[in-house]
Amino acid sequence: MAIALACLAFASIAQAEEDIVLGLNQTQVSISTNFNGSEIIIFGAVKRETPIPNTSQLQVVVTVSGPSKPVVVRRKEKKFGIWVNTDAVEVDRAPSFYAVATSGPLRDVLSRVEDLRYKISVPRAIRSVGAPMDISDSAAFTEALIRIRTKANQYQLNEAGVSVDQQTLFRANVQLPAALVEGDYDTRIFLTREGKVIAQYNTLIDVRKVGLERWLYNLSREQSLIYGLLSLAIAIAAGWLASAAFAMIRR
C-alpha cells in the first residue's frame, strides 16, 4: 500500500514538472458594424522546475470554443422535382465556433483516450446523445453539421498551426470569422508528451457587440415592436430613394 501511494505521489510530481505561462494579444473582441473578423495571437512559455525531459518531444494543442447551443440538422431530399425537408435530428450541444491548432498531426499529438477525456477534436466538442428511433444514421447529421460549419470557417483544424521553440516557447494564431456569436470564448492550451496531456491552462476571450450593433441588438431583444417598425421604415425609405434615383437617371 505504501509503495502504491509513493508511486502515485511521484506521478503527481512528474505531471507538475511542466506548467504553462500564457499571453494573448487581446482578451476582448468588439463586434462593430464594419467588423470583418479578427485574429487572436496566443503565445506562452513552459515553466519548469527540472531540466527538459529527453524522453519525448513536447507538443502543444490550442482550442478556442464559442458559446454552445442545441442545433437542429435537417436532411433534404428531392421529391417530385422539389427539394423538401425529410428527417431532422437535434444535436444537443454544438459550439458556434470551434478552432483546434496543434504543433503536429493531431493523431500523433493526442491519443484517442485523451481526446475522449478532454473533448479536444471537433467531433468530440459536439454533444449528440440521442436521435429519433426511425433514423438509423444519426451520426451522418453530426458529420453534416461539421462539414457545413467547416466550409463556413466556423470549425477549424490547423495541424502544425502551433510553433514550438526549444520545447519552451510556443505561439499560435487563430482566425475568428466575421460571423461571430456574442459571448465568452473558452480558450484551452494543452501540453502533451507521447499523446498524453501533462498540463492544461484555461482562459476566456470576451466577444461583445459595440456601438450601433449593440444598440440594434438590444432594441431587437427589448423593444421588438419598435425594432420591427424601424426596420419597416428603413426598408420603405430605401425603396423610395432607389425609385427617386432611378427616375432621375431616366430624365
Side-chain angles (χ1 to χ4, degrees):
M1 183 67 178
I3 296 176
L5 290 174
C7 290
L8 287 174
F10 178 78
S12 299
I13 293 172
Q15 288 288 84
E17 284 180 354
E18 295 179 289
D19 205 354
I20 301 170
V21 179
L22 185 70
L24 298 171
N25 70 323
Q26 55 179 329
T27 58
Q28 292 183 334
V29 176
S30 300
I31 303 176
S32 58
T33 53
N34 59 350
F35 180 77
N36 60 356
S38 183
E39 181 183 50
I40 300 296
I41 301 176
I42 301 168
F43 54 92
V46 181
K47 182 175 65 175
R48 299 184 178 91
E49 297 180 358
T50 59
I52 298 176
N54 55 11
T55 55
S56 60
Q57 184 72 22
L58 177 73
Q59 304 288 355
V60 180
V61 180
V62 174
T63 70
V64 179
S65 177
S68 297
K69 62 180 181 179
V71 179
V72 176
V73 183
R74 304 183 188 277
R75 173 185 286 153
K76 288 188 175 182
E77 293 182 2
K78 199 171 186 179
K79 294 185 177 181
F80 307 106
I82 301 175
W83 287 98
V84 296
N85 293 326
T86 55
D87 301 326
V89 170
E90 182 179 74
V91 176
D92 300 270
R93 186 184 65 194
S96 57
F97 171 82
Y98 195 75
V100 182
T102 65
S103 57
L106 184 59
R107 64 178 181 274
D108 298 334
V109 171
L110 190 73
S111 69
R112 291 184 178 181
V113 174
E114 294 291 80
D115 187 18
L116 181 62
R117 178 183 179 186
Y118 292 96
K119 296 177 174 54
I120 293 175
S121 66
V122 174
R124 293 299 182 191
I126 298 173
R127 184 174 181 268
S128 183
V129 177
M133 296 296 294
D134 57 337
I135 297 179
S136 58
D137 59 340
S138 59
F141 289 80
T142 302
E143 293 170 359
L145 175 64
I146 294 174
R147 185 171 61 253
I148 292 170
R149 292 194 170 180
T150 299
K151 187 176 181 180
N153 203 33
Q154 293 173 320
Y155 287 173
Q156 306 171 10
L157 172 58
N158 186 8
E159 294 179 307
V162 181
S163 60
V164 182
D165 185 21
Q166 301 295 321
Q167 298 196 61
T168 301
L169 303 177
F170 62 87
R171 175 190 171 103
N173 292 25
V174 176
Q175 298 292 334
L176 301 179
L180 284 181
V181 175
E182 189 179 37
D184 292 329
Y185 281 59
D186 186 24
T187 303
R188 300 181 297 168
I189 296 87
F190 300 91
L191 302 182
T192 70
R193 287 190 184 275
E194 298 180 344
K196 296 182 180 179
V197 175
I198 60 173
Q200 177 184 357
Y201 187 96
N202 289 56
T203 188
L204 293 175
I205 298 173
D206 186 32
V207 176
R208 300 294 174 196
K209 293 181 173 67
V210 296
L212 182 60
E213 285 283 327
R214 163 58 58 187
W215 183 77
L216 290 174
Y217 179 82
N218 290 338
L219 187 66
S220 66
R221 296 296 186 274
E222 300 170 4
Q223 302 288 340
S224 56
L225 178 59
I226 297 177
Y227 178 80
L229 292 174
L230 180 62
S231 301
L232 181 62
I234 293 174
I236 293 173
W240 180 83
L241 288 173
S243 177
F246 182 71
M248 292 180 63
I249 292 173
R250 292 188 61 182
R251 291 176 186 175

